[in-house]
Amino acid sequence: MLDFPRWKQLWFWFIALAAMAAAVPSFVSVAGYAWPAALPNPKINLGLDLAGGSHLLLEANPDQVTSLRLESKEEEVRNALSKASHPVQIGDISNKDGSLSFMVSNPADVDAAREAVLPLTNGAGLSGQRDWDIKVVDTTRIVLTPTKAGIDQAVTDAMSTATEVVRKRIDALGTREPTIIKQGTDRIVVQVPGLKDPTALKALLGQTAKLEFKLVDTTASPTDVQSGVAPPGDEIVPYASGAGALAVKRLGGIKGDQLTSAHQVFDQQTGEPQVSINFNQAGGEKFAKLTTENVGHPFAIILDGKVLSAPNINTAILGGSAVISGSFTTQSANQLAIALSSGALPIDLKVVEERTVGPDLGADSIHKGAIAMGVGTLAVVIFMAVTYGRFGMYANAAVIINVIMILGIMAVFNTTLTLPGIAGFVLTIGAAVDANVLINERIREERHRGRKVFQAVELGYKEASRTIFDANITHIISAVLMFVLGSGPIKGFAVVLMIGIVTSVFTSVYLTRMWVASWLRKTRPNDITI
């Protein structure tokens, strides 16, 4: 057991040195020196409680989900009835009072209409209920009413999608390790370490980024448009600039949910910032069809319910790409590109709480934590050296290497160190010392039983290692559960704990055994002080 082949020694040293080397850029950064740009630069991120930053609480209005579902369902119903094997003629659709209703023109088609609409309803999650109720009233009117289970499922889905969209937008800003958590049924907590001014972030997260292309109704009376009266089948949409409004066709346009990318560009003639967008294949085909069939007509580019511009379609736009212009600044065009490429928010979010956390508390905690770790480490080093002699010094070296390895691995995986993470850090150092105490005490017991030096050391490592592995397996299970089920600081603690457990076992069991075996083979002592 104490026989260590050369390849194994080299492999252990390689692991230890590589992990410690990864920690060097973080030490250089803390010391205030510049790290060469040509070299890899893994660094440990500091969490909001250590580095300071911004805390935002976003809230959605669940009632908006209901109205959006009604609008979306209206178009689905029209398409289903027109594309049925036996097309059904209907009158105007109404989505007032929380229900969607329409009159079937021919009473004989009521059953066919109901059969065509029925596939548009689905089961609401695991509730076993459908998300819409369908009723026939007054013999010819079909009414679709969203069920409570359907609304609850829609709100849950919308908040999950909104959380993911928020995450994509913040990641696109290049921010490291933000914390984004759903809180309750209608809130999202956003914490961004290092962000001192959240103004731009609030503007980005507050933008729904619902992009639409709709045909302009050129037959609408300007007087009616100015007074807000929409012709049948139209809607009045104001200009984003505040200069009047337009009547556009309510249905039949293209939505921006089929975008694949968006980038900020500059107009080659005027130099004005613009946003270049690309559709996927289906979106590109729809866009080409719309522009081909309406050459010579204006179409409105609408963002979040406001017209950005309404250019004429001079030629068919093929290839699935287009450019959006609208008096952008470079910053606003870049923000719009990020918002579009990350997807539209399925529900509006507003900031209901905002806090800026300064780094003073974190700096003070780091300072006190460093003092506590320094004093504690010195006390442990003295205790181990006095109690176990040479074997204690091996344990001390293992603890120091363990600390640097934890920092290096955290830097490689770009993890974030938080205040709870520091607690996990100290806990794993204690676990590393405990492991060596177990090993050394076991060796001491074997010597007291009369075992020879080699036999006592071998049995000491063998028997104590079982206990160490068993104990750390339970710790790993606990840490994994905290990481999976926890959030924010709890995850930070779990990550440090998992890394620390692995490195502490490696250094306290494998490295010290390698050192002890090398010393024993070299000196062949008849007795040891332990």
Side-chain angles (χ1 to χ4, degrees), residues 21 93 196 212 235 278 280 381 394 396 407 449 471 494:
I93 292 182
K196 304 299 187 297
E212 298 170 289
E235 61 179 327
N278 293 290
N280 59 20
V381 166
Y394 287 146
N396 290 334
L407 294 174
R449 291 175 183 172

Side-chain angles (χ1 to χ4, degrees), residues 1 438-444 446 454-466 468:
M1 186 175 179
L438 282 172
I439 293 169
N440 294 338
E441 287 296 326
R442 188 69 186 182
I443 295 173
R444 182 180 286 176
E446 297 298 333
F454 276 75
Q455 192 176 21
V457 172
E458 183 173 342
L459 286 174
Y461 269 97
K462 183 179 180 181
E463 298 299 329
S465 295
R466 293 177 183 171
I468 294 168

Side-chain angles (χ1 to χ4, degrees), residues 206-234:
Q207 189 171 27
T208 305
K210 182 182 177 183
L211 182 66
E212 298 170 289
F213 298 88
K214 293 188 174 182
L215 288 173
V216 177
D217 186 353
T218 54
T219 64
S221 163
T223 304
D224 289 344
V225 172
Q226 292 303 320
S227 58
V229 178
D234 287 1

Side-chain angles (χ1 to χ4, degrees), residues 97 182 213 248 393 438 442 450 476 485 496:
D97 301 325
K182 273 203 307 180
F213 298 88
V248 300
M393 294 307 296
L438 282 172
R442 188 69 186 182
I476 284 283
L485 302 177
V496 176

Side-chain angles (χ1 to χ4, degrees), residues 185-270:
T185 58
D186 58 354
R187 290 185 168 188
I188 300 173
V189 175
V190 176
Q191 294 181 338
V192 185
L195 182 66
K196 304 299 187 297
D197 182 10
T199 304
L201 180 63
K202 286 192 298 180
L204 180 61
L205 298 184
Q207 189 171 27
T208 305
K210 182 182 177 183
L211 182 66
E212 298 170 289
F213 298 88
K214 293 188 174 182
L215 288 173
V216 177
D217 186 353
T218 54
T219 64
S221 163
T223 304
D224 289 344
V225 172
Q226 292 303 320
S227 58
V229 178
D234 287 1
E235 61 179 327
I236 304 298
V237 184
Y239 273 98
S241 61
L246 273 179
V248 300
K249 295 293 183 183
R250 196 159 56 89
L251 302 175
I254 296 176
K255 295 180 180 178
D257 54 357
Q258 292 176 316
L259 291 179
T260 57
S261 63
H263 305 283
Q264 185 256 315
V265 296
F266 291 97
D267 187 303
Q268 293 185 351
Q269 295 182 345
T270 64

Side-chain angles (χ1 to χ4, degrees), residues 315-327:
T315 59
I317 302 175
L318 309 176
S321 62
V323 174
I324 302 173
S325 59
S327 302

Side-chain angles (χ1 to χ4, degrees), residues 121-425:
T121 65
N122 301 294
L126 301 176
S127 66
Q129 304 178 43
R130 301 196 76 79
D131 55 352
W132 294 80
D133 281 335
I134 302 177
K135 291 182 180 178
V136 179
V137 298
D138 300 334
T139 67
T140 58
R141 178 170 294 277
I142 294 179
V143 179
L144 285 82
T145 305
T147 64
K148 183 179 184 305
I151 294 173
D152 291 344
Q153 185 63 42
V155 171
T156 301
D157 293 343
M159 291 303 296
S160 297
T161 303
T163 304
E164 190 58 31
V165 170
V166 167
R167 187 184 309 281
K168 287 180 180 177
R169 291 185 182 183
I170 294 178
D171 287 345
L173 292 175
T175 305
R176 287 185 171 186
E177 295 295 328
T179 299
I180 302 164
I181 313 168
K182 273 203 307 180
Q183 186 180 76
T185 58
D186 58 354
R187 290 185 168 188
I188 300 173
V189 175
V190 176
Q191 294 181 338
V192 185
L195 182 66
K196 304 299 187 297
D197 182 10
T199 304
L201 180 63
K202 286 192 298 180
L204 180 61
L205 298 184
Q207 189 171 27
T208 305
K210 182 182 177 183
L211 182 66
E212 298 170 289
F213 298 88
K214 293 188 174 182
L215 288 173
V216 177
D217 186 353
T218 54
T219 64
S221 163
T223 304
D224 289 344
V225 172
Q226 292 303 320
S227 58
V229 178
D234 287 1
E235 61 179 327
I236 304 298
V237 184
Y239 273 98
S241 61
L246 273 179
V248 300
K249 295 293 183 183
R250 196 159 56 89
L251 302 175
I254 296 176
K255 295 180 180 178
D257 54 357
Q258 292 176 316
L259 291 179
T260 57
S261 63
H263 305 283
Q264 185 256 315
V265 296
F266 291 97
D267 187 303
Q268 293 185 351
Q269 295 182 345
T270 64
E272 292 182 351
Q274 298 176 325
V275 178
S276 171
I277 59 174
N278 293 290
F279 289 96
N280 59 20
Q281 184 175 356
E285 290 173 357
K286 288 180 67 176
F287 195 68
K289 184 173 184 292
L290 174 74
T291 54
T292 302
E293 294 175 349
N294 295 280
V295 172
H297 293 87
F299 77 129
I301 302 173
I302 303 170
L303 180 68
D304 292 344
K306 294 184 178 178
V307 177
L308 292 179
S309 60
N312 269 331
I313 303 174
N314 296 322
T315 59
I317 302 175
L318 309 176
S321 62
V323 174
I324 302 173
S325 59
S327 302
F328 295 120
T329 63
T330 302
Q331 183 181 13
S332 63
N334 187 50
Q335 285 190 346
L336 176 59
I338 292 174
L340 292 177
S341 58
S342 60
L345 286 170
I347 189 170
D348 293 341
L349 298 173
K350 65 177 181 180
V351 178
V352 296
E353 182 182 307
E354 174 188 347
R355 284 189 283 120
T356 300
V357 181
D360 299 341
L361 175 62
D364 185 57
S365 299
I366 293 174
H367 179 66
K368 291 181 178 177
I371 293 176
M373 287 178 61
V375 173
T377 302
L378 180 62
V380 168
V381 166
I382 295 174
F383 169 78
M384 295 295 288
V386 171
T387 306
Y388 300 111
R390 173 182 288 277
F391 287 76
M393 294 307 296
Y394 287 146
N396 290 334
V399 168
I400 293 172
I401 292 176
N402 178 46
V403 170
I404 302 175
M405 285 183 68
I406 294 174
L407 294 174
I409 293 173
M410 289 182 66
V412 169
F413 288 101
N414 202 21
T415 56
T416 299
L417 182 63
T418 62
L419 278 177
I422 291 179
F425 204 91

Side-chain angles (χ1 to χ4, degrees), residues 13-164:
W13 277 116
F14 172 77
I15 294 174
L17 292 175
M20 289 192 293
V24 174
S26 297
F27 288 124
V28 172
S29 176
V30 171
Y33 295 104
W35 182 255
L39 298 177
N41 188 23
K43 278 186 182 177
I44 299 172
N45 300 314
L46 297 181
L48 185 71
D49 48 3
L50 295 179
S54 296
H55 168 102
L56 300 176
L57 180 60
L58 309 173
E59 186 177 72
N61 178 10
D63 294 338
Q64 188 190 16
V65 174
T66 303
S67 60
L68 292 175
R69 290 182 78 218
L70 286 171
E71 293 176 8
S72 174
K73 189 62 69 178
E74 178 183 343
E75 191 160 356
E76 292 180 22
V77 168
R78 287 183 181 276
N79 290 333
L81 294 176
S82 63
K83 295 179 180 178
S85 56
H86 175 66
V88 178
Q89 299 296 321
I90 62 172
D92 288 341
I93 292 182
S94 169
N95 58 13
K96 295 180 180 177
D97 301 325
S99 296
L100 185 69
S101 66
F102 58 92
M103 186 81 76
V104 179
S105 302
N106 185 351
D109 291 339
V110 170
D111 289 341
R114 189 179 185 284
E115 290 300 318
V117 172
L118 188 60
L120 302 180
T121 65
N122 301 294
L126 301 176
S127 66
Q129 304 178 43
R130 301 196 76 79
D131 55 352
W132 294 80
D133 281 335
I134 302 177
K135 291 182 180 178
V136 179
V137 298
D138 300 334
T139 67
T140 58
R141 178 170 294 277
I142 294 179
V143 179
L144 285 82
T145 305
T147 64
K148 183 179 184 305
I151 294 173
D152 291 344
Q153 185 63 42
V155 171
T156 301
D157 293 343
M159 291 303 296
S160 297
T161 303
T163 304
E164 190 58 31

